[in-house]
């Protein structure tokens, strides 16, 4: 993760308070996709754990599990640790780059990355790290934004304006396969959020990965242009709807000595 992205989250940590409505719904969607999967992990790793909201949900789901959260932002880790003070906890927070996790091989039964991949310069490397730290037979779970997200922003601007692009759900699935995940399952939820404040909309876009890490300059220009157009819209409308596509992928780390079956023809 780049130093620039880390600085973004350091700033967010210093002013982060309660979860936004978007955060709450995104976490609820993650739980809805994760809960039906039959797994009782002893150790859970939360990649890019941020301020601890995802970790809290994982702890509530798997009450006996030891849970470790890693985040590249020193300030996010500090804020999460402060929130844990005063009581014994099964949660551990450490500073960790998603592309170079400071964990041994095969230590986790469940590895989760919630809305992290858009911020990572090399998502493939982050996915390979998730597979590496998973135990054989362990579950890898990711959530990210799909290409149908924020379509309203593109509609506000002419084709000559800069735009940013998010990967579609098939690209996310292919990236998981290339990273070494097996039995990959991809699904997506399309949600609509209603905003009555341009500042709230802008804050949500910046805080949750609307700027893909590999193209921050172009994406930032696109966001500024779109928010400029939105400002004009808010002068005439009291609210504005925004579409978000949440893509969820889960897969397994193949146990040793297992046999891959090819169902393709040829």
């Amino acid at each position: 993760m780049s130093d620039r992205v880390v600085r973004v989250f350091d700033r967010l940590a210093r002013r982060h308070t309660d979860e936004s409505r978007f955060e709450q719904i995104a976490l609820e969607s993650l739980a809805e996709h994760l809960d039906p999967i039959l797994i009782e992990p002893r150790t859970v790793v939360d990649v890019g754990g941020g301020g601890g909201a995802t970790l809290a949900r994982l702890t509530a789901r798997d009450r006996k599990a030891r849970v470790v959260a890693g985040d590249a932002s020193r300030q996010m880790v500090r804020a999460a640790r402060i929130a844990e003070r005063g009581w014994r906890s099964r949660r551990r927070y450490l500073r960790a780059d998603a592309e170079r996790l400071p964990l041994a091989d095969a230590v986790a039964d469940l590895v989760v990355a919630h809305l992290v991949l858009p911020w990572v310069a090399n998502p493939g490397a982050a996915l390979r790290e998730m597979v590496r730290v998973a135990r054989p037979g362990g579950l890898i779970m990711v959530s990210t934004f799909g290409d149908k997200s924020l379509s309203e922003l593109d509609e506000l601007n002419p084709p000559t304006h800069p735009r940013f692009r998010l990967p579609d759900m098939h690209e996310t699935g292919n990236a998981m396969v290339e990273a070494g995940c097996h039995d990959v399952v991809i699904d997506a939820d399309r949600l609509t959020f209603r905003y009555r404040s341009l500042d709230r909309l802008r804050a949500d876009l910046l805080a949750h990965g609307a700027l893909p890490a590999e193209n921050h300059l172009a994406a930032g220009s696109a966001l500024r242009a779109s928010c400029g157009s939105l400002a004009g819209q808010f002068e005439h409308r009291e609210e504005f709807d925004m579409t978000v596509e949440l893509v969820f992928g889960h897969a397994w780390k193949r146990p040793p000595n297992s046999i891959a079956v090819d169902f393709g023809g040829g």
Side-chain angles (χ1 to χ4, degrees):
M1 189 172 288
S2 71
D3 291 342
R4 181 175 181 177
V5 171
V6 172
R7 288 195 296 271
V8 168
F9 281 97
D10 280 344
R11 290 194 296 271
L12 288 172
R14 285 190 283 268
R15 62 175 182 262
H16 188 273
T17 53
D18 295 332
E19 296 176 16
S20 69
R21 181 62 179 154
F22 172 82
E23 289 176 292
Q24 294 170 1
I25 293 176
L27 281 171
E28 289 168 5
S29 295
L30 175 69
E32 289 172 1
H33 285 268
L34 183 58
D35 287 350
I37 302 173
L38 299 178
I39 182 172
E40 296 182 1
R42 293 169 294 167
T43 302
V44 178
V45 171
D46 176 17
V47 180
T54 305
L55 197 65
R57 296 297 178 98
L58 294 173
T59 305
R61 178 190 186 275
D62 300 302
R63 297 184 180 277
K64 296 182 179 180
R66 174 175 174 266
V67 190
V68 179
D71 198 282
S73 164
R74 189 186 305 275
Q75 295 300 325
M76 280 289 186
V77 172
R78 179 175 178 272
R81 286 173 176 168
I82 290 173
E84 291 284 331
R85 286 180 181 173
W87 60 292
R88 298 179 64 182
S89 173
R90 292 176 288 111
R91 308 173 191 171
R92 178 188 171 201
Y93 299 90
L94 59 126
R95 193 174 183 214
D97 190 323
E99 300 171 48
R100 295 180 296 276
L101 296 174
L103 299 171
D105 296 352
V107 295
D109 305 292
L110 170 61
V111 187
V112 177
H114 179 51
L115 301 182
V116 173
L117 295 183
W119 289 103
V120 178
N122 188 341
L127 289 168
R128 288 191 294 273
E129 280 290 271
M130 294 177 71
V131 174
R132 179 184 67 79
V133 302
R135 292 191 177 105
L139 178 68
I140 295 98
M141 181 83 190
V142 303
S143 67
T144 188
F145 293 101
D147 65 328
K148 305 299 188 299
S149 298
L150 314 179
S151 56
E152 294 86 351
L153 293 182
D154 281 342
E155 293 170 3
L156 290 172
N157 296 312
T160 54
H161 276 240
R163 300 187 176 212
F164 57 90
R165 181 183 176 278
L166 294 162
D168 64 34
M169 60 187 296
H170 304 292
E171 290 174 291
T172 298
N174 289 338
M176 293 181 72
V177 171
E178 292 172 2
C181 297
H182 297 277
D183 298 327
V184 176
V185 177
I186 297 290
D187 198 3
D189 294 343
R190 195 173 299 184
L191 309 172
T192 300
F193 294 88
R194 181 157 293 174
Y195 288 91
R196 294 180 173 85
S197 162
L198 180 60
D199 289 340
R200 179 70 262 173
L201 170 58
R202 185 186 291 113
D204 276 355
L205 294 178
L206 291 173
H208 302 292
L211 301 183
E214 71 276 7
N215 194 17
H216 268 295
L217 292 177
S221 179
L223 182 60
R224 285 191 296 273
S226 297
C227 284
S229 300
L230 273 175
Q233 294 285 332
F234 272 109
E235 290 180 1
H236 306 287
R237 299 167 58 177
E238 294 183 354
E239 55 192 29
F240 196 89
D241 289 345
M242 190 64 60
T243 300
V244 174
E245 183 184 47
L246 295 178
V247 173
F248 297 91
H250 75 263
W252 303 89
K253 182 171 181 177
R254 179 182 293 165
N257 303 320
S258 63
I259 299 175
V261 179
D262 184 2
F263 292 98

